[in-house]
Amino acid sequence: MRVAEVRRNRPAPSKETVRAALRPVVIEPVSTDLPPETWVQFSRIRQAFLDALPIAAAIISERDGRAAIDECNDRFVALDTYRPTNRPLSITGAAPVAEHLALFFDRYRAASGLPDNMLFEWRDGDDVSGRHFNVTIAPLKPIDGQPPRCLLTLVDRTTEIENARSLRAELLHDSLTGLPNRSAFAEAVDEVVATVDSAVHHAVLLVDLSRFSRINESLGGVAGDEVIITVARRLISTLRAGDLLARVGGDEFGILLRLANGHEDAAAAARRIQSVLSAPFRLARFEVGLECAIGCALIGDESGSGEELVRNAQFALKRAKTTGRVEVHHSGEAACARYKLDLETELRRAIDVGDLRLAYQPIIDLATNRISGFEALSRWAHPTRGNIDPGEFIPVAEEAGLIVPLGRWALDTALSTLARWDALAGGPVPLTMSVNVSAIQLARDDVPGVIAAALATHGIDGARLTIELTESAIVQDPERTTRALQALKGLNVRVAMDDFGTGYSSLSYLRKLPIDNLKIDRSFVSGMLQDRDKVAIVRAVLSLADALGKTTTAEGVETIELSQTLAALGCSHGQGYYYAAPLEADAALAYWQAKLG
Ligand code: C2E
Ligand code: CA
Ligand code: CA
C-alpha cells in the first residue's frame, strides 16, 4: 500500500469531537448590541451556508493576533490537518496556510477597503504522498466591533495531480522494457548538462540493433519483443554506478554514461556493449545473432540541450552504421546537417524553377578518334552559392527523394537536346546520349516507363540512349534491377556500368544482366602510367569486358599518353579533359561539328 493510501485510510477524528471543539469560540460576540440569541441564529445560518458548499470552507477571524476558525463545514473538518489545539483555535499542521492568513490579516488592516483575494497552492505532506490544494482566502465584510474575517476555501486537486503524474510517468517510460523512453532520456541528459561540472564528464551513447527489423519480420513481433527485453537486460549488465539506460526507439537504446576516467570510459563501455550483444540470442527454435552500431556524443563545456546531444549522437550513429566502427560526434556535424537541409530546400526549388542545366562531355571512340556520343552531367548554378558540384547535390537529392524528379528532368532534357541537334543538322546525328540514373531512382521510379515516354516524346530511337548505372543498383535490389534492365533492352536502350571497379559487382550478375559497357573508374585511370597496380586493374577489367563481350570506356583521360596507352590496351572508348570538359549544349554540338571537319 502506498503512503498516500495509508494516510487517507487512517480513521479521521470523529466529526463531533472536532466540531465540538471548534464550535464554542464562534458564537461569542466580542462586542455588539445584538442579543446572544441573534448571534446563535447568525451562526446557524452561516453554518448552513458553509455546509452547502462543495469544497472545504471555513470562516476565519483574527483573534489575539492569530487566525482562528469561527465556522467550518464538514469537508473542512475532514481535512484532518486542522486540529484544535487551544482556544481560540489555531490552525496547526498547515504552516503555509497560517502564514498566508497572517499576511492576509496584515493587508486587511492596512487596506482602506477590503483587500484582494489571496490565491495559492498548498501541498499538505510530501511530494509523493501529500495532498494538493488550491487555496483561496477571500475577505468578508467586517462587522462593527468584530475582528477582521475571511472565507478560507480549499479545493482538493490531489487526484488530478496524481493522474497527471502517472500519465507523465507512462509517457516517460517504455512499456515493454520499463526503461525510460526517449523524452525521459533527453530530460535526464538535460539535467546532467545543466549541472555539468568540469571534473565529471558524461557521454551519450546510442546503440542501434542492426538487422533487428529482419527478426521482427521473419519471426514475428513476440520474438522481436523478447529480443528487445534480452538486449535491455544485457545492456543493464554493462552499466556502472551513475549510468542510465533508456529505450529511445524501436531498436535503439540510449545510455547516459558517467565518465570517471575521461573519454577512455566511453570506449570501454562501447566494447562492453559490443561484447554482451555478440552472444547469440536464443528464440524458441532459433538462435540469432545481432550486431549493433554505436554512436557517441560527449557532454562537455559547449554542450547544447539534451535533445541536441541525443541528435548529435544520432549523427555519429548514422556514420557508425556505414563504417561499422564506434563513431564519436564532431561539432561540425550539426552545421553540416543543417547545410544539407538548406541545400535540399533550395534544390527542390531549383528543380521546380528550372535552375538546373545539363553539360555534355564527349565520349571518344579510341579506335577511330571520333566522338561517339556525349554524357549528360547535371549542373546547378546557385544564385548565391555559385556552382554547386553534382558530387554534393546528387547525394542530397538521393537522400531527400528529389532524385526521382531530377532524374526524370535529366532524361527528358538530354533527349530534347539530342532532338534539337538532329533538327539543327537536318537529320539524326550519329551520336549517342548517356544519362546517369541513380540506383535510388531505379528503385523508386518506373525508369523503363519514363524512358519509353521520353523517347517517344522526342522521337529518339532507343539505340541512341545509354543509361549509366552504378554497381550499387545491382547490390541493392538485384531482381528489380534485372527486370528494369530487361525492359530497357526491349527499348534497345544501352546500359553502362558506371564507376566500374569501385563497387561490389558479382561476376554472375555481370554475366547475366544485359550490360553493354563498363566505365572504368577515374581513380584507376588517372595516374595509371605511374602505378603498376592501376595498370594491372585496368588490364583485368579490359580482359573481363572482352570475355563478357562488353565495350569499355575509360573515365578521366587527361593526357595524350593515357589516351594512347588505353587504345593500345584495347579500351574501346575514352572520356576526359584531354578531349574536352563537359560543355554547354551548343558548344558540344559545335565541338562535334569541328571534329568532323
Ligand atoms: P560520373 O558519372 O563518374 O561523371 C564523371 C565525372 O568526372 C564528372 O564530374 C566529370 O565532370 C568528371 N570528369 C570528366 N573528365 C574528367 C577528367 O579528365 N578529369 C577529372 N578529374 N574529372 C573528369 P561531375 O560532373 O562533377 O559529376 C560527378 C558525378 O555526379 C557523376 O560522376 C555522376 O555520378 C553524378 N551525376 C552528375 N550528373 C548526374 C545526373 O544527372 N544524375 C545522376 N544520377 N548523377 C549525376
Ligand atoms: Ca556517369
Ligand atoms: Ca563515373
Side-chain angles (χ1 to χ4, degrees):
M1 197 182 280
R2 295 196 352 225
V3 194
E5 286 162 5
V6 175
R7 253 185 113 271
R8 253 170 266 156
N9 293 348
R10 189 172 64 201
S14 107
K15 282 179 196 158
E16 286 67 36
T17 323
V18 178
R19 186 161 277 186
L22 285 170
R23 271 283 161 66
V25 195
V26 201
I27 30 183
E28 283 170 38
V30 177
S31 130
T32 172
D33 299 338
L34 291 176
E37 308 84 63
T38 314
W39 272 104
V40 174
Q41 283 295 349
F42 269 166
S43 175
R44 290 218 177 106
I45 293 166
R46 276 201 310 232
Q47 186 65 49
F49 163 73
L50 291 179
D51 285 346
L53 291 178
I55 50 176
I59 293 173
I60 309 282
S61 62
E62 191 184 40
R63 292 162 190 271
D64 304 329
R66 290 210 218 175
I69 302 168
D70 286 0
E71 296 281 345
C72 63
N73 62 10
D74 285 353
R75 288 191 167 80
F76 191 85
V77 173
L79 291 181
D80 106 351
T81 329
Y82 295 82
R83 228 158 295 139
T85 46
N86 53 8
R87 291 168 174 248
L89 297 172
S90 58
I91 294 172
T92 62
V97 178
E99 278 162 26
H100 276 87
L101 281 168
L103 189 70
F104 177 81
F105 285 126
D106 285 348
R107 283 191 199 158
Y108 200 119
R109 270 181 268 100
S112 50
L114 287 180
D116 286 340
N117 283 3
M118 193 181 254
L119 307 164
F120 60 98
E121 283 173 24
W122 171 54
R123 192 181 64 215
D124 178 22
D126 62 60
D127 189 28
V128 182
S129 64
R131 302 190 68 76
H132 298 260
F133 298 97
N134 277 355
V135 186
T136 308
I137 303 174
L140 293 174
K141 277 199 182 138
I143 302 176
D144 280 348
Q146 293 290 311
R149 298 177 315 144
C150 66
L151 179 66
L152 172 69
T153 52
L154 295 99
V155 178
D156 191 337
R157 295 186 52 232
T158 312
T159 319
E160 190 187 323
I161 285 175
E162 275 177 2
N163 283 347
R165 185 180 289 145
S166 62
L167 187 66
R168 191 176 143 71
E170 240 165 71
L171 287 177
L172 288 178
H173 276 89
D174 162 46
S175 55
L176 179 62
T177 58
L179 291 174
N181 63 15
R182 188 186 170 112
S183 327
F185 187 63
E187 272 185 28
V189 177
D190 259 341
E191 233 164 82
V192 165
V193 175
T195 55
V196 89
D197 133 20
S198 51
V200 186
H201 277 85
H202 287 81
V204 173
L205 282 193
L206 289 183
V207 181
D208 181 278
L209 307 176
S210 327
R211 302 200 304 136
F212 174 73
S213 52
R214 294 243 299 261
I215 294 183
N216 245 353
E217 280 159 19
S218 51
L219 300 180
V222 177
D225 286 356
E226 214 173 297
V227 170
I228 290 292
I229 292 169
T230 313
V231 168
R233 280 210 203 103
R234 291 191 188 176
L235 288 177
I236 287 172
S237 75
T238 70
L239 302 185
R240 305 256 160 117
D243 296 348
L244 173 83
L245 175 68
R247 183 172 176 214
V248 296
D251 53 2
E252 209 170 295
F253 290 85
I255 299 173
L256 178 57
L257 273 185
R258 192 170 178 280
L259 306 180
N261 305 309
H263 299 170
E264 177 44 30
D265 269 6
R271 281 196 295 273
R272 285 200 302 278
I273 292 165
Q274 282 170 327
S275 126
V276 296
L277 295 186
S278 66
F281 292 75
R282 247 174 262 287
L283 291 170
R285 287 177 301 122
F286 302 95
E287 218 177 58
V288 294
L290 268 188
E291 274 164 25
C292 65
I294 302 179
C296 171
L298 297 166
I299 304 182
D301 310 327
E302 44 188 331
S303 311
S305 66
E307 261 301 329
E308 207 171 307
L309 274 156
V310 175
R311 221 172 323 129
N312 289 348
Q314 241 149 4
F315 286 129
L317 179 63
K318 199 166 170 200
R319 223 164 354 104
K321 283 183 194 171
T322 49
T323 64
R325 288 191 307 263
V326 177
E327 293 286 346
V328 181
H329 168 78
H330 298 292
S331 47
E333 255 167 313
C336 175
R338 255 195 308 278
Y339 171 71
K340 268 199 193 164
L341 212 63
D342 285 350
L343 215 58
E344 181 188 320
T345 314
E346 289 162 12
L347 181 59
R348 202 177 292 276
R349 203 186 144 268
I351 295 172
D352 284 346
V353 305
D355 263 359
L356 294 184
R357 282 179 302 105
L358 284 181
Y360 302 88
Q361 186 174 35
I363 296 172
I364 311 298
D365 181 332
L366 294 179
T368 62
N369 240 342
R370 293 221 168 153
I371 299 173
S372 65
F374 287 86
E375 176 179 2
L377 293 157
S378 293
R379 294 290 175 262
W380 181 12
H382 189 280
T384 54
R385 297 187 205 267
N387 290 334
I388 300 179
D389 223 43
E392 198 173 327
F393 70 78
I394 295 288
V396 170
E398 289 180 330
E399 241 174 75
L402 291 172
I403 195 67
V404 170
L406 191 154
R408 287 181 171 207
W409 164 84
L411 272 163
D412 188 72
T413 308
L415 291 180
S416 108
T417 299
L418 193 55
R420 198 161 55 83
W421 288 345
D422 288 351
L424 289 172
V429 288
L431 291 172
T432 61
M433 186 59 86
S434 295
V435 181
N436 293 285
V437 170
S438 148
I440 294 176
Q441 187 191 350
L442 196 72
R444 296 209 188 145
D445 203 5
D446 168 24
V447 171
V450 167
I451 289 177
L455 289 170
T457 304
H458 300 289
I460 302 283
D461 182 356
R464 296 173 71 198
L465 176 66
T466 300
I467 291 308
E468 297 196 2
L469 265 186
T470 56
E471 292 160 281
S472 57
I474 305 176
V475 180
Q476 274 172 22
D477 191 345
E479 275 106 66
R480 189 184 164 96
T481 306
T482 308
R483 264 180 280 130
L485 296 196
Q486 274 155 358
L488 290 181
K489 261 296 100 163
L491 297 169
N492 275 332
V493 171
R494 286 167 56 89
V495 176
M497 189 92 309
D498 208 348
D499 305 341
F500 189 77
T502 58
Y504 160 90
S505 286
S506 134
L507 273 184
S508 70
Y509 276 116
L510 214 53
R511 214 178 39 232
K512 270 192 286 187
L513 288 176
I515 294 164
D516 307 282
N517 181 270
L518 302 183
K519 291 193 84 170
I520 309 170
D521 192 66
R522 196 168 73 222
S523 58
F524 304 118
V525 176
S526 62
M528 174 183 122
L529 300 179
Q530 293 79 39
D531 189 331
R532 281 158 167 267
D533 290 345
K534 286 186 180 174
V535 178
I537 291 169
V538 171
R539 271 182 198 280
V541 175
L542 292 174
S543 65
L544 176 71
D546 192 41
L548 296 173
K550 301 182 194 304
T551 57
T552 44
T553 306
E555 297 180 336
V557 181
E558 295 184 356
T559 61
I560 183 169
E561 291 81 14
L562 263 178
S563 166
Q564 288 167 345
T565 310
L566 286 161
L569 287 174
C571 181
S572 61
H573 294 79
Q575 179 182 355
Y577 295 163
Y578 167 63
Y579 313 106
L583 305 164
E584 292 292 327
D586 292 345
L589 182 64
Y591 181 83
W592 171 68
Q593 284 165 335
K595 277 255 177 176
L596 279 181

